Amino acid sequence: MTIQQNLSHTQGLGETNSIWFKLTALTKGNPENPMQTLQMMADRYGPVIAVNIADQRVVFLTEPEHFKHVLVTKADDYIKYFDGLKPVFGKSMITHDGVLWQKIRMPQQPAFHPDMFAEYIPYFLQAIRTKMDLWSKLAETGEPFEMVEQTWTLAADMICKALFDRDMPFNPHFVFKCVKTYTDVMEHKAIRMRVLQGEDGFSLTEENAAKAMEIWASVPPAVFAQNPNEERQRTLLKMIETVVADPEVPEFDQQQAIDELKQYLWAGTETTALTLAWAMYLTSKHPEAADRIRKEGETVYGDREPAAADYSALAYTRAVIQETMRIYPPIWGLIRVATKADVIGGKEIKPGDRVVMFAYGAHHNPKFWPDPEEFRPERWMGGTKGQVKYSYLPFGAGKRSCIGGAMSQVENTLALSMLLRRFRPEYLGKEPPGFSGTVTLTPKGGLKFRVRELS
Ligand code: HEM
């Protein structure tokens, strides 16, 4: 293999001036669990830690009351940070702030109202059925497969069918690989360090990352070009088309529409998929939980498929999803940029500081969660009373919290229930699986599985 010296990459996720790149310096230590160093830092230096990395001041927060301060109380003074992720999200709403953000979010919000979920469920079920057919074939051959790829393709199918009224007009396995090529910032960093040190014997992937983004950019136009499945009028895509045609909202142009789709196909699939994949891992390690999910499904919907009215009764399955997101929060840290001087926990915050809210740290803090390393879905069965507010942040908090969080719980609860009722997934990877804390908390090298079909 050769070293390619020309580093004219078009992407920015792993660039040295990106926060994602800088954070890798803080996550050295246990390469299988980069969160441990951050947890140790929090134990040692307290709840507000300011560090200078290169020319950048990064402030780490680990206390729920400080999360509330930034995300709720002073939300307008802390804006979004998206530098390295622009190629992924374009100018979609997730990247904006203030009035523009509001103008873009408002017309789409109704698509995520819980009243809509009953309309989406038949399409979630269609996608789950397709996945079950595939797993049935995989069970016959006993072929090992990558769980995150399986759950990503399922999540993408659910979004396309339910929210866009389309079948996936792209090869989801191929697009999944592009997504992963771009986001593996740890690899970007490792590669660049070796280049700087003049080592030999590896190849660069930065061109691949740029290519991956080109392919990614071609996905939303393909969705728009695809014929609708049923000409449904109440879909997210219809809402987007309506606002594009509205002269009163000139900011919401065709490019905005394309970028909104990019956002949904990433923010709405990667996170949902990671949650379901980690849930498969945890339930394969806790067969009693998998059995309880099967029994709950049997009691609630028996031999038919679950309907909207069954969702609330799938309390244990939902608790497994909630507990999975506590242990493996897909978004392990929320990032903002301070726009004004402030004081948090007695420490000075300067305009321009990158503020990182360490959600994973709060989720694993014994102050808020007894025996935090234990997988205990039962802790969710009595509701959320007694929990410290803002100590659980899988979907963020305040006005910028996840638009699709509640919907993803429906998707994942139904998928986990139905897939486990028919299959017994067996985890084949190393124990415990390592993970990298890039933008998302991603299993290192994936989660290898095999499935058996239950009789
Ligand atoms: C387990 C699944 C999911 C997790 C863990 C998750 C997590 C998050 C988090 C933490 C944020 C806030 C980030 C911040 O404050 O910096 C967010 C925002 C967002 N999420 Fe999700 N998400 C999930 C599923 C979804 C789904 C299913 C969709 C849509 C189909 C979605 C679309 C969005 C959008 C559009 C935003 C930006 C909202 C705004 O800026 O106003 N997410 N998500």
Side-chain angles (χ1 to χ4, degrees):
M1 283 186 276
T2 55
I3 300 177
Q4 189 188 315
Q5 292 294 353
N6 175 10
L7 297 180
S8 58
H9 47 280
T10 57
Q11 49 74 39
L13 193 57
E15 282 176 11
T16 44
N17 62 356
S18 126
I19 185 80
W20 308 108
F21 180 86
K22 288 185 174 124
L23 286 174
T24 58
L26 301 178
T27 54
K28 274 186 187 159
N30 180 352
E32 298 302 306
N33 180 352
M35 298 295 124
Q36 269 177 5
T37 311
L38 299 178
Q39 287 174 290
M40 268 154 38
M41 273 172 58
D43 284 348
R44 197 156 165 190
Y45 302 112
V48 186
I49 307 166
V51 279
N52 286 306
I53 309 174
D55 56 346
Q56 183 63 66
R57 194 160 181 265
V58 180
V59 181
F60 256 96
L61 304 180
T62 54
E63 281 293 317
E65 62 177 296
H66 297 152
F67 298 163
K68 181 184 174 198
H69 178 89
V70 173
L71 297 174
V72 182
T73 318
K74 291 215 166 176
D76 291 338
D77 298 346
Y78 291 90
I79 59 170
K80 285 277 193 164
Y81 174 89
F82 264 93
D83 286 3
L85 290 169
K86 282 270 153 80
V88 174
F89 290 108
K91 57 168 183 153
S92 60
M93 77 160 143
I94 200 166
T95 68
H96 289 299
D97 289 280
V99 178
L100 180 57
W101 162 75
Q102 228 169 355
K103 277 193 171 171
I104 300 167
R105 177 152 169 161
M106 224 167 39
Q108 305 183 67
Q109 188 76 46
F112 296 95
H113 192 279
D115 285 351
M116 293 294 292
F117 300 165
E119 287 182 35
Y120 299 152
I121 285 176
Y123 306 99
F124 295 159
L125 297 185
Q126 267 182 25
I128 298 168
R129 253 181 259 129
T130 306
K131 185 58 61 182
M132 292 205 290
D133 290 346
L134 180 78
W135 279 24
S136 194
K137 290 194 185 102
L138 290 170
E140 261 172 43
T141 61
E143 197 184 316
F145 59 82
E146 167 45 48
M147 185 58 87
V148 184
E149 184 170 345
Q150 286 294 316
T151 54
W152 194 90
T153 51
L154 171 59
D157 199 14
M158 288 198 274
I159 298 264
C160 284
K161 286 194 164 76
L163 299 181
F164 303 154
D165 190 22
R166 308 284 200 272
D167 285 325
M168 278 183 291
F170 51 88
N171 176 341
H173 295 278
F174 178 58
V175 171
F176 168 80
K177 290 200 168 82
C178 294
V179 168
K180 288 297 174 199
T181 302
Y182 182 75
T183 48
D184 203 345
V185 70
M186 290 297 182
E187 278 304 307
H188 288 239
K189 155 123 176 158
I191 287 163
R192 194 169 294 108
M193 292 312 283
R194 277 177 283 171
V195 169
L196 292 176
Q197 287 156 16
E199 288 178 23
D200 206 339
F202 58 90
S203 65
L204 285 175
T205 60
E206 299 199 315
E207 278 188 352
N208 297 346
K211 184 90 196 132
M213 282 305 97
E214 259 174 50
I215 291 156
W216 180 245
S218 70
V219 169
V223 173
F224 276 110
Q226 179 86 338
N227 287 331
N229 285 343
E230 297 176 17
E231 297 285 359
R232 280 154 57 217
Q233 294 307 304
R234 278 162 44 102
T235 64
L236 175 63
L237 201 60
K238 278 273 173 213
M239 289 175 198
I240 290 175
E241 281 169 352
T242 305
V243 67
V244 168
D246 184 349
E248 305 233 322
V249 198
E251 300 86 352
F252 211 130
D253 56 13
Q254 192 57 40
Q255 186 58 46
Q256 188 69 44
I258 284 180
D259 288 353
E260 293 306 293
L261 254 60
K262 272 190 187 168
Q263 157 194 264
Y264 289 117
L265 285 166
W266 197 311
T269 54
E270 171 84 355
T271 47
T272 307
L274 284 169
T275 303
L276 187 58
W278 284 119
M280 289 292 176
Y281 163 71
L282 286 166
T283 49
S284 77
K285 291 288 130 195
H286 296 271
E288 71 293 348
D291 283 341
R292 194 164 163 188
I293 289 171
R294 290 184 186 107
K295 283 209 182 75
E296 184 174 74
E298 208 176 300
T299 312
V300 173
Y301 58 91
D303 290 335
R304 58 177 173 81
E305 282 188 338
D310 300 320
Y311 173 65
S312 64
L314 294 171
Y316 182 77
T317 313
R318 195 167 46 248
V320 168
I321 296 296
Q322 286 169 300
E323 180 70 344
T324 302
M325 288 190 293
R326 185 188 65 76
I327 296 179
Y328 296 111
I331 306 291
W332 62 270
L334 300 151
I335 303 187
R336 295 289 188 273
V337 181
T339 59
K340 290 191 181 147
D342 195 6
V343 176
I344 300 183
K347 293 239 166 84
E348 187 189 6
I349 305 292
K350 299 176 186 168
D353 283 356
R354 305 295 190 249
V355 178
V356 180
M357 286 153 279
F358 188 31
Y360 179 99
H363 290 197
H364 287 257
N365 190 333
K367 246 187 352 182
F368 313 125
W369 302 95
D371 302 319
E373 301 313 319
E374 299 270 311
F375 171 68
R376 214 181 274 165
E378 293 74 13
R379 59 173 109 226
W380 295 94
M381 296 298 279
T384 52
K385 256 197 220 137
Q387 286 177 12
V388 175
K389 263 195 127 189
Y390 304 101
S391 65
Y392 182 66
L393 281 191
F395 301 123
K399 61 183 179 182
R400 298 309 295 268
S401 62
C402 179
I403 201 169
M407 191 189 83
S408 82
Q409 302 222 61
V410 178
E411 295 175 83
N412 275 341
T413 301
L414 295 177
L416 187 64
S417 176
M418 289 173 73
L419 288 166
L420 287 190
R421 278 198 74 194
R422 185 154 155 201
F423 300 97
R424 189 182 299 283
E426 189 190 341
Y427 174 64
L428 303 173
K430 73 173 178 278
E431 193 54 52
F435 53 83
S436 57
T438 52
V439 182
T440 51
L441 200 77
T442 299
K444 251 189 170 172
L447 292 172
K448 192 132 281 185
F449 271 82
R450 175 163 60 209
V451 276
R452 281 204 297 118
E453 187 152 4
L454 301 167
S455 46

